[in-house]
Amino acid sequence: MDTLETDRLLLRLFRESDLDTYAEMCADPEVMRFLNGYPLSREEAWRNLAMVVGHWHLRGFGLWAVEEKSTGCLIGRVGCWKPEGWPGMEIAWTLRRESWGRGYATEAAKVALRYAFDVLRQKHVISLIHPENTPSIRVAQRIGQRLEGRNEVMGSTVLVYGARPPRPTVIRPA
């Protein structure tokens, strides 16, 4: 279970001590608006966090806790996600509202996408985004994903953004 770093972020496994901040994030109606549509209670956030941790054990990959290096604060979750019945491996991101607009989602999603291609050897990766979630659509576009269509996931229509690994550059002698 790898830990990843960017200039400003540490992507690591979740710990039990993350629960307070995680529950706070999941209780924010604006954060949850395009995910399940309603805030989670602390107990629901605990079960959700346990599911995120369990995904690592069942699939060998999952969502990382995203920590801001300069403060050590948990700011969200980002990573590779493929629950049973999902249409493909997803790069997913959710950040606390205080961390929106700083480029953190793009920064973390880029390294997660590279991980999906380079370590997990995926040939195609998607992100499922609510059609009205324009900030997430912009993140998908910034990490090189393009709109591929729509899908029905857990009773909601989502946009499917996708990407394939970049082709290696071939240098031919003159």
Side-chain angles (χ1 to χ4, degrees):
M1 296 182 198
D2 297 313
T3 298
L4 305 178
E5 286 191 53
T6 70
D7 290 340
R8 301 181 296 164
L9 306 172
L10 176 67
L11 282 69
R12 59 164 175 80
L13 293 179
F14 277 97
R15 339 182 241 257
E16 188 174 359
S17 60
D18 292 324
L19 178 60
D20 288 341
T21 306
Y22 190 81
E24 178 188 303
M25 178 181 77
C26 293
D28 185 329
E30 280 301 303
V31 170
M32 301 306 287
R33 180 172 148 205
F34 295 124
L35 295 177
N36 62 356
Y38 60 90
L40 301 182
S41 68
R42 182 179 176 85
E43 293 79 16
E44 291 167 324
W46 165 260
R47 285 191 293 278
N48 185 272
L49 182 58
M51 177 183 62
V52 167
V53 171
H55 190 282
W56 276 98
H57 293 283
L58 293 171
R59 300 273 194 210
F61 59 86
L63 300 175
W64 286 277
V66 180
E67 184 178 295
E68 189 179 45
K69 283 182 178 178
S70 64
T71 64
C73 291
L74 176 71
I75 63 166
R77 63 184 190 198
V78 174
C80 305
W81 185 241
K82 191 176 187 300
E84 184 60 29
W86 234 235
M89 178 179 285
E90 180 180 16
I91 298 298
W93 51 86
T94 304
L95 297 182
R96 295 173 62 204
R97 194 176 347 172
E98 296 83 8
S99 299
W100 291 359
R102 298 182 185 180
Y104 288 151
T106 300
E107 188 174 326
K110 276 182 183 177
V111 74
L113 184 64
R114 269 198 325 270
Y115 184 88
F117 291 146
D118 297 347
V119 177
L120 301 177
R121 299 290 192 217
Q122 294 297 301
K123 301 294 183 215
H124 182 243
V125 178
I126 61 172
S127 292
L128 305 174
I129 303 173
H130 188 285
E132 295 174 21
N133 190 345
T134 53
S136 278
I137 290 169
R138 284 194 300 270
V139 170
Q141 292 169 337
R142 284 186 195 117
I143 68 170
Q145 293 182 318
R146 299 291 171 249
L147 181 62
E148 296 180 347
R150 294 175 178 264
N151 203 325
E152 192 81 13
V153 176
M154 297 177 58
S156 295
T157 300
V158 294
L159 300 176
V160 179
Y161 278 77
R164 298 189 183 281
R167 293 183 180 189
T169 304
V170 176
I171 299 173
R172 300 185 193 280

